[in-house]
Every structure is written in C-alpha cells, then in structure tokens.
C-alpha cells in the first residue's frame, strides 16, 4: 500500500527569543548581514553528492579535534573517525566530483560547476581544518555565519594572507617577539626576585594584538578598550602600548606610579595601565588603545571594559547616524587565562550581556592566552576546551598554535573580520605555554614534571621564528642580533633614567576636563540641587504623558492620575515621582541617565513605571524621552539576571564620562552580594588605587518587613566598613571619603541625592539603602517646596515637632524605622518627651550636622541609637563610636537598642518577625514608660 506523505510548510521561527517591541533609547538592533542561499543547481548537486557533502561537513565540524594546535604536543588527540572519507563511501582518490555548493572555492555568489578529484578535496579540507589553526563554527545557529566562514576559509581569499608574508611585516613581528623576550630576560637579570608574570612561552600574544589593532585601525575603529589579567601585561605595556620602561623600573624600585601628593595608594606593577594612540600604515586615522586597570580577581575587569566601550559610543545612541553603527568606531578586546575563562562565573555573566540590546557594544574579540599549567585540564574544567563556554552565545572559536606567529596573525585577522561583519563576540584560543610556573620564583616541575621537561628542552618562540626568517633570507644573523642588542641598550638607558622619573597623572583630561580632583580645595561637595517649580511641574507632567493611541494597562491609569494630581497640588510627591523629577530636570540640563537591573522599567515593586508598554502591540514608550524633548536621554536597561557583570558594566560606563548618571538597582538590597568582587575592587577603591572617579549610584532596597533572611537587608554594615571615613571630628580638613552611604527617609531627600551626583564638580560612588515600604507611604512623600530652588540634601533631619525645650530623650535612627517609631511615640503621647532625629547620610558621617542638631536639645537628655537590624549588623558598628565623639567621648553617653546579634538579617518565621519588630519599636521608649 502506498502512503502519501504531506510535508509541512516551511516556517521561519526565531528560536528561544521573545521580546517587547522595545525601540526605546539605547535599544540597538543587531546588524544584519546575509549571504546568497544555495541556487537550485547547488541544492541539486548537494543531493546528488550527499556522501561528499556529509564528509565535507564532518571535516568542518570535527577537524579541530585532529588539528596540530598544541605547541608542546601534549594534548591527547583521539583518532577522529569522522575525518575518514571511506566512512562515507568515498574510496577512490581519483574520482571527480562537482563541488559547487559543497566546497566553497569560488567567490561569493558564483554558481559554476567545478570538478575536483577526491584526493584534492581531501587535501584542501585538511590544509584548512586540520592544520595549525582549528576552527569551530558549525555550531552557529545562523546559516549565514556558517557560510561566511566556509567561504572565507575555503575560497579564493589568499591575497590577505600573502600580504602577511611581506618581509617588512615579518620583520616587525620578529621585532615584537624578541623585544618581549629581551624584556623578560632583562627583568630577570636586574630584578631576580621580582614576580613579573612574564610572557615567556606566550610571546605570540604580542603580534596577535598588533595584528588586531592594525586590522581595527584599517577598518576605521578609533577606540579600543582592552581588559586583561597580569600574565604578559608588562610586556604589552612596555612594548605595543608604549609605557615608559623608566616609569616601570621606578615603580619596581618602590616608587609611586602616580603623583604622591594626590594621596592615592596606587597598585601593584601587574595592574599598571596605558592609553597610547597608535598609528598603522594604511589606516585613515590613529587608534587609541586604553588598557583598563584591573584587580587581581581574574576576569572581573571583563564587564567593566564592556561598559566603557558602550559608553564611548553613547553619543551614537542619541544621534544614530546612518553611516555609523555600534562597533564601527569602538571595540572591546578581552584577554583571558584558560583556567579563569572556564572557572570564573563573571565570564558567563558577561558573555550573557554581549548581545543584549541595552548592553551590546558591537562585539568583543576574546583572546584566551591558553597556558594550561595551574591545573591539568582534566581537573580544571568539564569541557574539552577552555573556550567552550563561548558556545553558550554561539561565539565561533579559532584555536591556534602559538609556536607559529604567522598563523596566529591569520587567526586573529579572521576573527576580527567576523566581528566586523556581524558585530558579535568571537574567541581566539591561543595555545601557548609558560616557561616558568605561577611566577618566576616558582618551581613548576613539582607538579608538572613531564610538561616542564618538554618546555626546558625546546627553543623559545622568538628564537624559532628568528631561525625561520634567517632561513628565508628575511634576516641575517647579524641583523637579528642587532634587534636584541638595541632593545637591551634601550632598557639599560631607561633603567638609569628611572632614578629621576617623576610620575604624572592625566585623570582630568579629555571628557573629564572641567572636573576637579575630589580632594582639591576646588571640590564642591554640597552644591544647590533644588529646581524651579515650573521645571518640576513640566517634568512631572511629561513623565506620565501617554502618546495618542497608546493603550497603557488599565491599572496604570490610576498611576498617571495620581502623579498629575500630586504635581498640581504641589504635595504628596511619592518616591517614584521625585525620582522622575530628578531624572527629567537633569536631562533638561543635558545630562544622560541610565538605570539598569532586573525589570527596572517598572521597578521591582511596580513603583517606577518609567516605561509604558502598549497592551495591544507591546510597543514601548519612555515618556521622559518622548514627551520632555530634552537634550539628555533616559536609558532603561532591563538586564539579564546578573549582578556581578551588570554592576561591573555600569562601573565601566561611569568611568568613561562624568555627564552620565549610571544607576544599578538590585531587586533586593542583599542581592549585591553576587557582585561583591566588583564593589570591593572597583566601586570602593578605584579612586584610591587608580585615580578613577565614578558617579555610579547603587540602589539597594533595604528594610525589615517580614520578607525573611534574604530579602531584608542591604548589608549596610559591609558598605560602611568599605568606606575610609574618618572616625573623629578632630577639626582637620574633611577626608576624601571614597564613597557615600545614605539611608534617606523622604522622597525629597532622594531627589536631592540624585541631582547631587551630577551637580558636584567631581564624582563619587553613592550607595543608597533604598526603600520598599516607603515607596508609597504618605508620610514619606514630599512637597514641591522641598525640592524647589534653594533646597538641598540634609545629612541630618531634626525632629519636626519642635520639642527642643522639653525632650528628655533623643532617639537617633536611620531609614524606614523612623516612621514606626513616630507612630509609636504618637500612640504613647510622648511627642514632647522623646525626640526622633534622623541620620540620613551615614558616610561620610555628619559630625558637624549632628552636633548642631543635638545642641538644640541642651544637656538634659539621653541619647540612644535605635535600629531594626541585629546588633552585629546595620549601622551601629559604624555610628556608635562616632556618635560618642559628637557627645564628648564618654562610653555611656549613647545607648543601643535593636535586635540581638544574629546570623541572619531577619527571621523567616512571620510570627517571630512580628514579635521581634514589636519589641524593637516598643522597647525604644521603655525609658520613658
């Protein structure tokens, strides 16, 4: 019996993707690039020669497993059965085949029958896919991208590769390699006890980067943001990046790398930076390469570099010229170690941002300097390659043998071409080795005897390449030796000059011109931040203006009406309204605002609603952008479920320009702990180590409200511990505090904090213990009069009931607990007996402000600090001693009331939470019972 098979119609589906129709400010559609589909004749040929097609695709897919990519030849390569043509019935080497549509030997778009014998097909495929460069691209979802690679690698594109063989280019490569080796040898001779994390064994990294910078400059890229760890950093700095060896030697000998009078502490030599402008022949403009400072936490710099690259293109997001897209003028380059690329979670988080519309910067080029030492691969990762993590975002991978610098250059060139076409990430896995262990003082043979027996018996990469060039007649033994001698003499000269080296700093140049160093006398810490009423009203109305025909959710109609009514009355401005007024007024002054985090458009607690989504079309509107017509823009970057990478990204944004207010909002305060490395090594210390100012603002919802251990606390104690705020009000000039920590209680206070971030003539990170329950609390709302011209943020808020003459007790408090205490005081009828004073800015501690307020109550009063957090948490450990100083230093002059010390911020049992909270609130007044 015959069965008629009905094939389904072909339906094109974008797998795994669903999005709002969000084309709001900052959203960027990926660049589209297509190649012609198979012609009917090619499709027919692919069917006719299906065994050949299977074989060709198998070589493309599995060739990397047999490629000669390990310079030490220690990889255990299996016999790859998929590479045997006999498995596909291809046994006659002389059999001719039409390769049109199967092997891409003709220019793109050609459709010509071309007959090759099987043995020639095999030879071509093995020369491409089973050599010293191995390609992994068959996993890419995009047929266009797979075809692009096949055409690029198999087709007639040899001109670019032959250009690389020019004698002048090969001589330059030799110079870069031997100068790197000479540099390491020089440091070993002059500073034998120095841990320099040299590049010996991995010298091919330098020509790899030179090739990348060259290609980028020729393509019109003008800014490259480079993030890298310590391995080979000094070689790169003093080589390609033109960092003064005299400055390095001065630092090695214990000197400062920055002007000592600035008061910064600096960092270790393996974290030094440079930002040279490099010129390459054939490029229309020079390219500036900015190596970013980094901590010793491997891979933590990745999202920072990505954010800085994005910020370099921020003006493009506002103007969007047709002839320039993201990635045309700026590019991010990230160097990695093989073990850290596999092991560090920030890598996965950062890769996850790479193609998101509000985080992409046009694709990063990743170079994994694969040294394979610390732990054998079998104990370091569960994947075959360290680069396999890149397959999560369908990044192509090019593995290359670092013993062959010219192949390294070809691989990097191909990688850049892919990135430039598709504006996506690409990975070059540079397989090299370390001639030494963890550092130059280590003995690696303790744990890797076979590897280091092989390494110590072989010639160095520069020597091998030098011998090749001498054999080819590009160099003579004398000219090769002269290159080494000249560079050694240069280093000797620089070593002598290092004794007289005077560090300089350029942290206030270019886009930071006009700003001041925070510790300078010109710094203005408390500028006026109030705004004219007419502007506030204009912004308030614009923030909820709905475009004609735009259908917002029915429940948001009430939100719109409430905001308009509060603006009209000039009272009842809730937290979100004050925020919108601060944003809009800054935008009218030409500043840009960017707020990122998970679901920040509407806000974690459905309070912000800075974006509206049409209920029929899912189109997105950001009223402050469309209705306000300001020069500045608001970018609402709803992010992936990441903390570390997203916060690091915003740090990078903040480093690039002082005219942007980058805000990261955690869904709950203690979610920041997933980003603790970024906070410790970038947010709290970047200025002190690297002279990097940042206006980053962290919004961390805080407050015990029965939500349990993990949704209650922003861990204020940790943030305060990270500040360098002085402990005593000794009358000395105010210290340059590294970051500010606040816990505001009114919408107006929050308004002023937002504006203060940009009104200052310098930048400081700001940590806001933000509200949850106060977002809609009427008592926490403000009036227009509190944010009008002439008003500003108040670090201390005195009691408003006017009980200075009668109060016998003063309760000092921060945050939302104030309102619970106020209600309890009112219920007890103690308004005249107990004063409630709020400390709104915890760091820098407001010694003078608190002293002034407490002075209004005379000497006949007790003072108690009250907090709802456990005694070992919250602000008490920070403020207790400082309050005593304000009161004269007596140990008994300030008491504590709050929860007893606990292992968690709050209990998860509702009954227990309510009992504890009642005890805190009621017990605060027991002395007055």
């Amino acid at each position: 019996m015959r069965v008629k098979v009905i094939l389904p119609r072909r339906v094109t589906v974008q797998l795994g993707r669903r999005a709002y129709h969000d084309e709001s400010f900052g959203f960027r559609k990926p660049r589209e690039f297509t190649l012609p589909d198979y012609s009917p004749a090619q499709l027919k040929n692919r069917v006719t020669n299906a065994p050949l097609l299977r074989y060709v695709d198998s070589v493309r897919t599995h060739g990397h497993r047999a490629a000669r990519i390990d310079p030490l030849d220690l990889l255990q390569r299996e016999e790859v059965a998929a590479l045997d043509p006999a498995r596909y019935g291809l046994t006659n080497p002389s059999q001719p085949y039409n390769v049109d549509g199967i092997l891409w030997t003709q220019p793109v778009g050609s459709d010509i029958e071309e007959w090759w014998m099987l043995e020639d097909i095999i030879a071509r495929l093995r020369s491409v896919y089973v050599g010293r460069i191995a390609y992994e691209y068959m996993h890419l979802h995009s047929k266009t991208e797979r075809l692009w690679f096949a055409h690029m690698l198999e087709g007639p594109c040899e001109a670019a590769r032959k250009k690389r063989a020019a004698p002048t280019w090969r001589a330059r490569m030799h110079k870069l390699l031997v100068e790197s080796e000479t540099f390491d040898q020089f440091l070993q001779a002059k500073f034998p006890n120095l841990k320099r994390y040299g590049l010996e064994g991995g010298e091919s990294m330098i020509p790899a980067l030179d090739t990348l910078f060259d290609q980028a400059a020729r393509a019109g890229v003008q800014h490259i943001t480079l993030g890298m760890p310590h391995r080979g950093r000094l070689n790169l700095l003093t080589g390609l990046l033109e960092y003064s060896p005299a400055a390095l030697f001065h630092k090695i000998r214990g000197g400062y790398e920055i002007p000592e009078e600035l008061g910064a502490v600096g960092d270790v030599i393996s974290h030094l930076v440079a930002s040279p402008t490099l010129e390459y022949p054939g490029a229309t403009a020079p390219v500036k390469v900015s190596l970013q400072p980094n901590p010793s936490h491997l891979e933590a710099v990745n999202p920072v570099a990505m954010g800085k690259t994005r910020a370099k293109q921020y003006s493009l997001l506002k103007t969007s010229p047709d002839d320039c897209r993201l990635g045309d003028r700026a590019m991010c380059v990230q160097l990695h170690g093989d073990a850290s690329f596999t092991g560090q979670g920030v890598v996965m988080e950062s890769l996850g941002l790479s193609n998101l519309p509000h985080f992409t910067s046009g694709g990063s080029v990743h170079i994994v300097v694969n040294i394979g030492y610390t732990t054998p691969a079998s104990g370091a990762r569960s994947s075959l390659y360290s680069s396999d993590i890149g397959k999560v975002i369908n990044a192509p991978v090019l593995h290359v043998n670092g013993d062959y610098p010219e192949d390294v250059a070809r691989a990097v060139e191909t990688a850049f071409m892919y990135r430039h076409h598709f504006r996506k990430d690409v990975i070059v896995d540079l397989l090299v080795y370390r001639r030494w262990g963890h550092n130059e003082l280590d003995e690696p043979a303790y744990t890797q005897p076979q590897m280091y027996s092989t390494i110590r018996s072989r010639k160095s990469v520069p020597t091998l390449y030098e011998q090749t060039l001498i054999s080819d007649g590009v160099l003579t033994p004398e000219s090769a030796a002269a290159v080494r001698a000249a560079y050694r003499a240069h280093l000797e000269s620089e070593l002598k000059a290092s004794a007289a080296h005077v560090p300089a700093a350029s942290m206030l140049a270019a886009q930071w011109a006009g700003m001041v160093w925070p510790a300078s006398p010109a710094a203005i810490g408390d500028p006026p931040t109030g705004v004219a009423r007419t502007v506030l009203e204009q912004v308030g109305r614009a923030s909820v203006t709905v475009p004609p025909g735009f259908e917002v959710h029915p429940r948001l109609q009430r939100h719109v009406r409430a905001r308009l009514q509060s603006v009209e009355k000039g009272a009842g401005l809730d937290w979100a309204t004050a925020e919108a007024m601060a944003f809009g007024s800054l935008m009218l002054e030409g500043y840009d605002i960017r707020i990122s985090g998970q679901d920040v458009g509407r806000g974690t607690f459905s309070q912000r609603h800075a974006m509206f989504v049409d209920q029929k079309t899912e189109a997105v509107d950001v009223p402050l952008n469309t209705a306000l017509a300001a020069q500045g823009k608001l970018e609402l970057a709803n992010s992936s479920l990441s903390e570390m990478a997203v916060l690091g990204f915003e740090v990078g944004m903040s480093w690039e320009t002082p005219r942007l207010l980058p805000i990261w909002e955690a869904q709950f305060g203690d979610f920041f702990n997933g980003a603790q490395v970024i906070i410790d090594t970038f947010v709290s210390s970047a200025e002190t180590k690297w002279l990097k100012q940042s206006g980053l603002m962290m919004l961390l919802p805080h407050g015990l409200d029965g939500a349990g251990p993990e949704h209650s606390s922003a861990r204020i104690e940790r943030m305060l511990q990270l500040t360098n705020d002085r402990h005593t009000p000794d009358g000395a000039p105010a210290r340059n505090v590294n970051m500010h920590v606040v816990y505001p209680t009114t919408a107006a206070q929050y308004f002023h904090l937002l504006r203060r971030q940009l009104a200052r003539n310098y930048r400081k990170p700001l940590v806001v213990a933000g509200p949850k329950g106060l977002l809609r609390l009427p008592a926490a709302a403000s009036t227009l009069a509190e944010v009008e011209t002439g008003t500003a943020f108040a670090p201390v808020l005195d009691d408003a009931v006017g009980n200075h003459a009668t109060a016998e007790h003063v309760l000092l408090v921060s945050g939302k607990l104030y309102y619970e205490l106020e209600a309890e005081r009112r219920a007890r009828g103690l308004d005249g007996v107990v004063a409630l004073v709020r400390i709104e800015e915890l760091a820098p501690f407001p010694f003078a402000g608190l002293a002034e307020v407490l002075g209004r109550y005379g000497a006949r009063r007790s003072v108690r600090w009250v907090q709802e957090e456990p005694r070992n948490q919250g602000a008490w450990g920070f403020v207790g001693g400082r309050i005593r100083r304000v009161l004269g230093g007596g140990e008994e002059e300030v008491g504590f009331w709050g929860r007893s010390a606990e292992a968690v911020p709050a209990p998860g049992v509702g009954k227990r939470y309510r009992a504890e909270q009642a005890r805190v609130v009621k017990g605060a007044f027991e002395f007055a019972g």
Side-chain angles (χ1 to χ4, degrees), residues 373 435-449 452-453 456:
Y373 162 70
R435 188 158 289 277
W436 311 108
H438 289 288
N439 56 69
E440 291 71 24
L441 308 183
D442 183 35
E443 174 48 78
Y446 289 150
T447 54
Q448 305 290 340
Y452 276 86
S453 174
R456 287 166 178 169

Side-chain angles (χ1 to χ4, degrees), residues 757-776:
Q757 280 297 93
L758 295 182
R760 288 171 165 165
N761 57 354
Y762 61 89
R763 296 290 176 260
K764 284 287 179 185
L766 175 64
V767 178
V768 181
K772 294 184 284 183
L774 301 190
L775 291 170
R776 298 179 181 84

Side-chain angles (χ1 to χ4, degrees), residues 210-385:
D210 185 52
T211 301
L212 182 57
F213 298 163
D214 180 17
Q215 290 296 298
R218 291 171 184 269
V221 174
Q222 296 174 1
H223 298 277
I224 293 176
T225 303
L226 177 61
M228 72 174 294
H230 52 278
R231 180 67 54 188
R233 191 181 185 99
L234 300 184
N235 306 66
L236 178 63
L237 276 168
T238 56
L240 274 182
L241 301 190
E242 301 176 351
Y243 188 85
S244 164
L248 174 64
F249 299 147
H250 174 81
K251 173 69 175 177
I252 291 173
R253 287 171 159 172
Y256 278 80
E257 72 271 29
I258 51 182
E260 187 174 353
E261 63 271 15
L262 293 177
V265 302
D267 205 350
V268 297
I269 61 169
S270 53
H271 298 166
L272 295 173
V273 299
S275 297
T277 298
L278 307 179
E279 294 188 2
Y280 284 92
T284 57
V287 59
K288 183 172 184 179
V289 181
S290 298
L291 176 61
Q292 300 307 296
N294 67 295
S296 294
H297 288 265
L298 296 173
E299 308 292 342
V301 74
N302 299 353
V304 178
M306 293 167 63
K308 198 170 193 300
T309 308
R310 167 92 175 192
K312 279 188 176 295
Q313 307 173 86
Y314 217 69
S315 61
L316 282 181
L317 299 176
K318 298 168 74 171
T319 58
S320 299
D322 293 336
D323 63 342
C324 192
R325 294 171 290 258
L326 284 180
D328 281 358
R329 298 290 182 265
M331 180 174 72
C332 182
V333 177
Q334 300 173 43
L335 270 65
H336 314 274
D338 54 306
S340 59
F341 195 56
T342 296
Q344 296 295 303
V346 67
V347 174
M348 179 61 248
E349 291 189 32
S350 300
L351 290 172
L353 298 180
S354 60
N355 294 324
L356 298 184
H358 289 280
F359 292 87
T360 182
S361 59
S364 295
V365 176
H366 303 264
I367 299 179
V368 180
V369 183
N370 194 332
I371 52 180
Y373 162 70
T374 306
T375 302
S378 58
R381 59 180 182 263
S382 298
S383 58
L384 177 61
Y385 298 119

Side-chain angles (χ1 to χ4, degrees), residues 9-45:
R9 289 181 301 167
R10 184 162 56 183
V11 180
T12 301
V13 187
Q14 191 174 18
L15 295 176
R17 308 279 294 184
R18 179 187 176 277
Y20 292 130
H21 297 196
D22 177 5
E23 296 189 15
S24 61
F25 172 69
F27 179 92
R28 306 304 285 185
K29 290 182 177 178
R31 181 182 183 184
E32 295 182 358
F33 183 87
T34 58
L35 287 173
D37 199 358
Y38 305 106
S39 69
Q42 289 172 337
L43 288 172
K44 182 179 179 181
N45 187 45

Side-chain angles (χ1 to χ4, degrees), residues 18 20 22 24 27 303 306 310 349-350 352-360 594-604 608 611 635-650 663-667 671 675:
R18 179 187 176 277
Y20 292 130
D22 177 5
S24 61
F27 179 92
M306 293 167 63
R310 167 92 175 192
E349 291 189 32
S350 300
L353 298 180
S354 60
N355 294 324
L356 298 184
H358 289 280
F359 292 87
T360 182
R594 174 183 162 95
I595 178 167
S596 70
Q598 296 142 27
D599 213 4
V600 296
R602 68 172 183 177
T604 294
R608 180 171 292 120
M611 59 178 269
E635 182 175 12
L636 298 168
N638 288 322
S639 76
S640 63
L641 195 65
S642 157
E643 285 80 37
M644 188 170 180
V646 172
L647 181 59
F649 193 96
E650 302 310 321
I663 302 171
W664 178 67
E665 181 177 60
Q667 284 194 314
F671 282 17

Side-chain angles (χ1 to χ4, degrees), residues 665-680:
E665 181 177 60
Q667 284 194 314
F668 290 93
D670 58 355
F671 282 17
F672 82 82
N673 53 24
Q676 190 71 60
V677 169
I678 299 295
I679 295 168
D680 290 349

Side-chain angles (χ1 to χ4, degrees), residues 740-929:
H740 290 233
V741 181
V742 298
Y743 193 2
T745 56
T746 72
Q749 289 279 80
Y750 178 52
F751 170 93
H752 290 300
L753 286 168
L754 286 164
R755 286 190 50 81
R756 189 179 74 173
Q757 280 297 93
L758 295 182
R760 288 171 165 165
N761 57 354
Y762 61 89
R763 296 290 176 260
K764 284 287 179 185
L766 175 64
V767 178
V768 181
K772 294 184 284 183
L774 301 190
L775 291 170
R776 298 179 181 84
L777 184 71
S782 299
T783 65
L784 284 178
E786 293 175 282
V787 293
E788 281 188 275
T789 303
T791 59
F793 175 74
V796 180
L797 289 179
D798 196 1
D799 202 322
V801 300
N803 53 10
H804 297 134
T806 60
E808 299 175 6
H809 309 280
V810 177
L811 301 184
L812 301 178
V813 64
S814 283
K816 67 99 171 173
L817 182 62
Y818 163 79
Y819 293 101
E820 296 174 64
L821 295 175
E822 186 183 44
E824 180 68 17
R825 181 180 67 174
R826 190 182 315 114
R828 290 176 178 242
L830 296 176
D831 282 2
V833 179
V834 179
L836 298 175
V837 175
R838 286 168 277 178
I839 300 180
E840 302 273 290
E841 184 162 51
L842 297 164
F845 191 76
F847 287 105
L850 182 59
E852 179 187 350
V853 169
L854 291 181
R856 299 168 188 168
Y857 292 94
R860 295 184 308 100
R861 45 90 180 106
S862 69
V863 176
R864 173 183 286 183
W865 171 261
V866 184
Q867 66 179 40
E868 59 182 349
E869 300 89 354
R871 186 183 185 111
N872 59 322
Q873 300 170 38
W876 169 243
F878 181 85
V879 303
R882 289 167 171 79
I883 296 171
R884 290 189 184 98
R885 293 283 183 177
V886 172
L887 296 175
E891 287 298 315
E892 303 302 324
E893 289 197 55
V894 58
F896 167 84
W897 184 251
R899 283 173 166 79
S900 301
E902 271 289 359
V904 295
V909 177
K911 179 179 179 180
R912 177 168 178 168
Y913 162 76
R914 289 187 293 272
E916 288 182 358
Q917 193 71 2
R919 174 183 170 274
V920 169
V921 174
K922 295 181 182 302
F925 297 92
E926 286 180 356
F927 50 67

Side-chain angles (χ1 to χ4, degrees), residues 146-167:
R146 297 194 304 272
L147 282 174
W148 182 91
F149 266 106
H151 278 289
M152 175 63 61
L153 302 176
E154 301 162 16
C157 60
E158 295 300 316
R161 298 174 184 177
K162 288 180 180 177
K163 176 203 67 175
R164 282 299 180 200

